[in-house]
Amino acid sequence: MTDLDVSLDHRTAREVLDWSRAGLDPALRAAVDRLPDSMRAIAGYHFGWWDQHGRPIGADAGKAIRPALVLLGTQAVGGAAHAALPAAVAVELTHNFSLLHDDVMDGDQTRRHRPTAWRVFGVNPAILAGDALLTLALDVLAGSGHPRAQQSIRVLSSAVQRLLDGQSADLAFEERADVRLAECVRMAEGKTGALLGAACALGALFGGGRVDQVEHLRSFGERVGLAFQFVDDLLGIWGDPEVTGKPVYSDLANRKKSLPVVAALTSDTPAGRELHALYHAEQPLTPADLARAAELIEDSGARAWSQGRADELLAQAREHLRAAGPSERAERELDALASLATRRDH
């Protein structure tokens, strides 16, 4: 038994994340150290371990919810958390591969209050670093020696394909005047839900879970991921800039076709029709336009609908979690993580 498998009862979600991070970080750093120096420098900067010159710092590395889901998924089916560290590392590497590429595609200037990797090192090096992290993730699983490593590689690869399909759809929506709500939901299921589902499934696989447990925990993670996206899209419009790190109405300023926006645009209401004209006007949106757009989304019923869908998805996730028959403690802590991920003030 390792320190990762010894912990106090009745932990909060934040305490679970701290526990997971303490176990994850040494293994994650050891994996990144295997990269070529050119890729390692960018990866370590992106993870917040050092500055652009390689000098150690302690920047925000994010919550790391996905690896925590892996470790708890393992415990849920009776496995030991330390045995699932390769899967947790692989999921975190994969998530950060997607972030490196997302920042380039979206032109994001900052992440976690620091300049994004592409701004510091250049677009092409950042893309290559993302590629390196994804390749390393698969290598970590392959080298784990776990009897279900091959199956786990296929689970992760499938999730990445769905993630890429979702990201492709998201980019395509920017060029289209009309997007159906069902398309938008499918995009979010792939872009956000797939990897959270894979994290839970990998945890169950590394813990020796039954087929039904693996599938129920995958469904739990997928629904938490989609609920998270609904909440995140609401925060992209109405979130507190001090909390979100984004300007107020930031998604509207970028004319992003997020879930509440598409729900409003397709609502066939007077508010939805006015929003359509405003959103597709050629001139830039003024601060007054942005405030009006937010009002129209609310008037169309899309804000309430999005909040309701997030609640429904969280309830469905909890049903799948119970159906997996997890240990009492793991169920409580997975539920706590789900609640944290879908909070409306994060």
Side-chain angles (χ1 to χ4, degrees):
M1 182 176 289
T2 69
D3 290 343
L4 193 57
D5 296 300
V6 178
S7 52
L8 301 174
D9 288 331
H10 306 298
R11 296 180 298 187
T12 66
R14 297 289 181 182
E15 289 170 337
V16 169
L17 291 176
D18 289 344
W19 160 81
S20 171
R21 174 67 77 183
L24 172 76
D25 275 357
L28 182 62
R29 285 176 178 261
V32 170
D33 280 344
R34 291 161 41 197
L35 292 173
D37 288 344
S38 58
M39 299 294 97
R40 178 180 175 275
I42 301 171
Y45 172 86
H46 171 76
F47 279 115
W49 300 337
W50 47 72
D51 66 15
Q52 65 196 81
H53 304 293
R55 295 179 297 226
I57 59 173
D60 179 14
K63 296 186 184 73
I65 285 179
R66 290 158 188 82
L69 290 174
V70 174
L71 300 179
L72 289 180
T74 294
Q75 292 185 328
V77 298
H82 76 273
L85 271 175
V89 168
V91 165
E92 186 67 355
L93 289 169
T94 300
H95 175 54
N96 282 277
F97 133 77
S98 73
L99 296 183
L100 280 163
H101 284 197
D102 279 358
D103 287 343
V104 170
M105 287 184 279
D106 296 342
D108 287 338
Q109 300 286 310
T110 60
R111 178 170 291 281
R112 300 171 189 142
H113 309 289
R114 299 172 72 214
T116 44
W118 71 264
R119 283 189 58 204
V120 174
F121 298 96
V123 169
N124 292 336
I127 292 171
L128 292 173
D131 295 341
L133 292 187
L134 179 58
T135 304
L136 181 61
L138 297 174
D139 186 64
V140 167
L141 285 179
S144 68
H146 194 279
R148 298 173 91 171
Q150 182 176 359
Q151 185 179 358
S152 297
I153 290 171
R154 298 197 70 175
V155 167
L156 185 60
S157 297
S158 176
V160 170
Q161 295 291 358
R162 290 181 60 200
L163 185 157
L164 297 176
D165 187 50
Q167 176 68 4
S168 175
D170 197 23
L171 292 171
F173 292 169
E174 296 176 9
E175 309 298 324
R176 290 171 49 188
D178 295 301
V179 175
R180 296 190 301 274
L181 185 55
E183 290 181 289
C184 195
V185 172
R186 279 198 304 274
M187 176 274 292
E189 286 173 342
K191 186 176 177 181
T192 308
L195 189 56
L196 270 80
C200 296
L202 288 174
L205 285 171
F206 268 70
R210 302 185 310 270
V211 172
D212 64 300
Q213 290 179 308
V214 172
E215 291 308 312
H216 277 301
L217 285 171
R218 185 207 306 269
S219 295
F220 162 77
E222 288 176 345
R223 282 159 177 78
V224 169
L226 186 53
F228 165 82
Q229 191 59 62
F230 270 102
V231 171
D232 199 54
D233 285 354
L234 289 167
L235 292 173
I237 301 173
W238 291 283
D240 181 352
E242 291 295 320
V243 177
T244 65
K246 299 178 182 180
V248 66
Y249 305 141
S250 60
D251 282 359
L252 299 182
N254 295 326
R255 304 190 203 224
K256 185 175 177 64
K257 293 185 177 71
S258 62
L259 288 160
V261 168
V262 174
L265 291 172
T266 59
S267 64
D268 195 26
T269 61
R273 289 188 285 274
E274 184 180 339
L275 179 68
H276 191 281
L278 188 62
Y279 226 59
H280 296 95
E282 292 186 6
Q283 66 272 20
L285 297 176
T286 66
D289 290 335
L290 295 176
R292 179 58 179 160
E295 289 177 2
L296 292 170
I297 293 168
E298 185 151 16
D299 291 347
S300 74
R303 182 178 187 177
W305 175 80
S306 295
Q307 291 171 337
R309 281 297 292 140
D311 292 339
E312 290 169 8
L313 286 161
L314 188 56
Q316 291 171 12
R318 286 171 169 147
E319 290 175 7
H320 281 287
L321 178 58
R322 287 192 294 271
S327 65
E328 180 181 348
R329 176 178 180 163
E331 180 179 358
R332 182 174 66 247
E333 293 183 345
L334 283 166
D335 185 271
L337 282 188
S339 297
L340 177 67
T342 55
R343 276 174 50 186
R344 290 173 191 149
D345 60 350
H346 69 281

